[in-house]
Amino acid sequence: MTSRPSWMPLSARSFNYLCIAFVALLFAAFILLHIWKDKERHDFGQFYMGGTMAHTGDWDSLYPVPLPKANVNPGWSYGSTEKPHYHELTVERGVGRTFRFIQLPPNAILYSWMAHLSYQNAYRVWHIVMAIFVVLTAAEAGAIYLKMSGERESYIAGLVTLLVGCSPLMIYTQSVSNTGPLLSACFGAAVLGLLGPEKLGLSPAIGMVVGGFTKYAPAVILPLVISMRRWRTLAWSVGLAVVIALATICVTGTGVWVEFWKVIWPPLQKSSNEEACQSLWGFLSRVLHQFPLHHPAVLGIKIGQYFVLVVILLTLVKRKEFWNVPEHVAAAAAALMAWLLIFAPIAWQFYHCMLTPLWAWLVWEAIRGKTGMRIAVAAGILLTIAPSPGSLWGKFPEPIASRQLFSAVVILGIALWRLGCPCCGIRNDSVIGGVADGVGQMG
């Protein structure tokens, strides 16, 4: 337990609560000052319209019709055409020309409450809810640090909470009016649930399933669950996913699901050359001035994607005792999420918020590591902490524009180092000897 310095009037626990409260007040002020009268509404229209269509029960009109020759996915207004009833309601509700609903059907039901509100009021409530998820993510980061350090109380945990909750990345994530805060909270809950004893296994299952149905990404740690032999967690995950899917089918019928997988899903694999796309696909599109990318570049990405995935999966093959060390679990989760962000066709700037709960693990590695590790951790956080929306600062040249991509690469490297990846030239004593010490200094 961290002792209280003579100059500090608060205990570590009180300090942590104060930090969480500060993040909450920051986002409350942000909502009241910048969101309440905001007319731009950014990405919000797609979620409002999904909920509106669910409220009407017109499931045949939920999804747009992709344009065959479009280079972007059907969520873009120039990547698809709206069906007549959907278009009528966008006009009636004042939504206008904006992004189109392309999420899984359960999301439309989840957002149906918004149909009872005006577009502007729903936008306000949406931000209040997402601000709660930002605060939850920041609190999860502090809790993850406590798991890393093995302490019940720590002033550093409060500082980690502030680092995550007050970061420009989180503020930007809130401002784009998408589901980023929910995704980061789900991923943080899943990781936090894996850091302790399994017990019921429900918490990480909820994080993976809710996040997975929202935007797939938080479910990427499923291989870690299997490697850890968390069978109750796996059973809960499968069970919850099946229940949600079946319950949705009872409301929607099967037609909308068939339409999603056959019509919407294939073009969702299209990328973007916008600076906001911080994946390898977006980077190469900008550097090579090719959009869409030509076959050799696509083939190279695919080979790299599967090679890195195989390396990660082989690195996860450990004895069960290995996963008793919290930093091993955090490193594995970071490796899987970083891999997804690097190689996904689309990884918008705000998607990188999903790694913010694991900044706690990075801070822990920096504190106990040597100079090289501290430099790597600083690079991993600083390269992504401030995204660069072109509307504020203008466009940056490459490779500066893709710094969040390189942040994910650095974090992946740190994670593989910690896991004892053979490709990094590391021999992990806890694997070879079967003893999960996990306390060696990083060189």
Side-chain angles (χ1 to χ4, degrees):
M1 184 179 297
T2 304
S3 59
R4 183 191 304 184
S6 57
W7 50 267
M8 173 62 74
L10 299 174
S11 67
R13 179 173 297 179
S14 298
F15 179 72
N16 292 344
Y17 288 144
L18 181 63
C19 291
I20 294 172
F22 182 83
V23 174
L25 289 173
L26 172 68
F27 279 88
F30 177 77
I31 291 170
L32 292 175
L33 295 178
H34 299 284
I35 298 298
W36 209 253
K37 295 182 179 181
D38 186 10
K39 300 298 182 182
E40 188 172 351
R41 304 190 188 97
H42 307 281
D43 295 356
F44 175 66
Q46 58 188 309
F47 308 111
Y48 183 74
M49 285 307 303
T52 299
M53 299 311 299
H55 179 68
T56 65
D58 186 3
W59 298 105
D60 291 338
S61 299
L62 178 63
Y63 292 120
V65 179
L67 296 176
K69 296 183 179 180
N71 291 328
V72 295
N73 71 50
W76 293 84
S77 59
Y78 50 89
S80 64
T81 56
E82 299 168 340
K83 292 176 182 174
H85 189 207
Y86 187 104
H87 178 71
E88 289 174 10
L89 289 177
T90 62
V91 175
E92 179 183 315
R93 298 267 177 156
V95 176
R97 187 178 176 88
T98 184
F99 295 102
R100 284 150 191 177
F101 185 82
I102 52 173
Q103 284 74 42
L104 282 163
N107 292 278
I109 297 175
L110 179 65
Y111 305 143
S112 61
W113 58 268
M114 292 190 289
H116 299 282
L117 303 174
S118 68
Y119 189 30
Q120 184 67 26
N121 284 337
Y123 177 72
R124 293 164 176 164
V125 176
W126 174 272
H127 274 280
I128 293 173
V129 173
M130 290 301 159
I132 293 172
F133 286 125
V134 170
V135 176
L136 181 58
T137 301
E140 288 169 346
I144 289 173
Y145 181 84
L146 293 177
K147 292 288 186 180
M148 295 295 108
S149 65
E151 298 177 308
R152 294 179 59 188
E153 300 177 7
S154 171
Y155 291 102
I156 298 176
L159 295 177
V160 169
T161 295
L162 292 178
L163 174 66
V164 171
C166 300
S167 67
L169 174 58
M170 268 304 186
I171 295 173
Y172 172 74
T173 297
Q174 168 81 15
S175 70
V176 297
S177 311
N178 210 299
T179 54
L182 171 61
L183 296 173
S184 61
C186 285
F187 187 66
V191 173
L192 190 58
L194 294 177
L195 290 175
E198 185 174 27
K199 297 181 180 178
L200 186 60
L202 184 57
S203 172
I206 292 175
M208 286 190 294
V209 172
V210 174
F213 271 107
T214 301
K215 283 211 182 198
Y216 329 113
V220 75
I221 60 172
L222 188 61
L224 174 59
V225 174
I226 296 173
S227 182
M228 294 179 68
R229 288 84 160 171
R230 293 290 183 101
W231 307 127
R232 283 192 291 272
T233 299
L234 181 62
W236 271 113
S237 300
V238 173
L240 287 173
V242 170
V243 168
I244 291 173
L246 291 177
T248 304
I249 290 173
C250 290
V251 176
T252 67
T254 58
V256 69
W257 286 84
V258 173
E259 182 180 8
F260 176 84
W261 291 113
K262 287 190 174 182
V263 179
I264 300 298
W265 178 254
L268 286 184
Q269 310 313 304
K270 295 178 180 179
S271 185
S272 171
N273 61 350
E274 298 286 335
E275 182 181 320
C277 181
Q278 290 289 305
S279 71
L280 186 58
W281 290 80
F283 170 68
L284 290 180
S285 292
R286 294 187 291 273
V287 169
L288 300 176
H289 304 289
Q290 298 176 5
F291 185 69
L293 286 172
H294 299 168
H295 178 70
V298 172
L299 181 61
I301 292 175
K302 290 294 185 181
I303 292 174
Q305 178 181 10
Y306 292 121
F307 173 77
V308 174
L309 178 60
V310 169
V311 169
I312 294 173
L313 294 179
L314 290 176
T315 305
L316 295 183
V317 180
K318 308 290 189 185
R319 299 180 182 182
K320 186 176 181 179
E321 293 78 12
F322 180 86
W323 303 113
N324 293 335
V325 182
E327 55 263 36
H328 294 164
V329 178
L336 290 165
M337 180 57 75
W339 168 81
L340 184 65
L341 293 172
I342 292 167
F343 291 104
I346 292 288
W348 299 125
Q349 291 173 325
F350 74 88
Y351 283 9
H352 288 256
C353 72
M354 286 183 283
L355 278 171
T356 56
L358 290 174
W359 287 3
W361 159 67
L362 291 174
V363 169
W364 169 244
E365 294 285 9
I367 288 175
R368 74 196 192 104
K370 296 183 179 179
T371 302
M373 176 55 68
R374 290 170 182 166
I375 293 174
V377 167
I381 295 177
L382 293 177
L383 285 172
T384 194
I385 198 170
S388 54
S391 60
L392 294 181
W393 302 331
K395 292 185 178 296
F396 284 91
E398 294 293 353
I400 299 174
S402 297
R403 60 188 181 276
Q404 287 182 289
L405 166 65
F406 300 123
S407 166
V409 172
V410 170
I411 292 173
L412 175 59
I414 296 172
L416 291 177
W417 201 106
R418 168 50 63 197
L419 292 170
C421 174
C423 295
C424 301
I426 303 299
R427 296 172 70 242
N428 194 307
D429 292 336
S430 62
V431 181
I432 298 170
V435 180
D437 52 31
V439 295
Q441 290 291 317
M442 304 290 291

